[in-house]
Amino acid sequence: MRFDKYWVLQVKAPFFVTKKQIDIFLDKNTAWIEKYHEIAKQKILPESEVEILKQKAKAYIPQRVEYFAKKYWFKYEKIRITCARTRWGSCSSRKTLSFSYRLMQYRDECIDYVIIHELCHLRQMNHSQKFWSEVRAIMPEYKKWEKELKWVKENIL
Ligand SMILES: [Zn+2]
């Protein structure tokens, strides 16, 4: 089991439980503990971790937006990196695209999905069928990543 320096795993047990029994219990439940550790980590990010994610977002997201914009002829004004907790991205009528640095915690495909979603809003400022068909044309499997982010929102954030 691996924990980073910010986290401590505390085990509470009745006095008659031996150290060995605790070790066996921990061994048996490693997967479960790691899963909940992952969830806890994402809920409360240490300040230094936030800084790292913000830096990563600033370095990664704009060039990725530019890549898709060039390839699919989208025109945007500027990009902002936000701290939004559950709003992954947005697109203003002034063509400013905003993305939460928190996206950097998830897989590349999820980040691409949000970028494509917001870029498509430059053409369709709604969630009409037309909007979704634009998204699908660029990313046919978008539903998978949309679902994954939705799961994160409902279960982790
Ligand atoms: Zn949208």
Side-chain angles (χ1 to χ4, degrees):
M1 219 176 307
R2 287 200 0 186
F3 283 89
D4 56 55
K5 62 186 170 193
Y6 305 108
W7 296 86
V8 174
L9 175 66
Q10 190 176 46
V11 180
K12 286 188 179 176
F15 69 92
F16 53 81
V17 174
T18 65
K19 168 89 171 48
K20 184 140 194 249
Q21 283 172 312
I22 290 172
D23 284 342
I24 291 168
F25 173 85
L26 289 177
D27 249 15
K28 263 192 179 161
N29 293 284
T30 303
W32 184 88
I33 293 164
E34 277 176 351
K35 184 180 157 204
Y36 282 89
H37 172 53
E38 237 359 271
I39 291 175
K41 252 185 13 194
Q42 294 184 36
K43 268 200 167 138
I44 317 152
L45 287 172
E47 207 35 58
S48 55
E49 188 77 14
V50 169
E51 263 326 297
I52 291 167
L53 288 173
K54 279 183 184 166
Q55 292 310 321
K56 273 191 187 167
K58 281 178 193 160
Y60 181 78
I61 293 176
Q63 55 102 7
R64 200 67 188 146
V65 172
E66 187 56 27
Y67 165 80
F68 285 113
K70 267 214 174 107
K71 196 166 174 190
Y72 298 101
W73 304 87
F74 287 105
K75 282 226 176 314
Y76 61 92
E77 272 307 314
K78 55 178 187 187
I79 297 169
R80 285 190 327 138
I81 301 298
T82 71
C83 299
R85 180 167 273 277
T86 55
R87 202 171 195 209
W88 305 121
S90 63
C91 173
S92 78
S93 53
R94 288 186 168 165
K95 299 185 185 297
T96 295
L97 303 173
S98 302
F99 299 96
S100 171
Y101 74 83
R102 291 174 196 271
L103 272 173
M104 299 313 291
Q105 295 175 102
Y106 309 109
R107 69 170 97 222
D108 290 353
E109 289 87 343
C110 289
I111 303 173
D112 280 353
Y113 161 67
V114 175
I115 291 172
I116 291 164
H117 182 121
E118 299 313 330
L119 282 170
C120 287
H121 275 319
L122 291 166
R123 291 183 190 149
Q124 306 287 334
M125 270 303 218
N126 50 49
H127 292 118
S128 60
Q129 294 225 348
K130 213 168 166 198
F131 168 80
W132 290 114
S133 69
E134 296 241 17
V135 174
R136 198 176 311 115
I138 300 173
M139 192 179 222
E141 79 295 6
Y142 79 91
K143 278 204 169 138
K144 203 166 148 188
W145 316 121
E146 185 198 22
K147 224 170 135 187
E148 194 164 302
L149 285 174
K150 210 172 171 186
W151 185 91
V152 167
K153 216 179 257 187
E154 280 162 7
N155 295 280
I156 297 182
L157 301 174

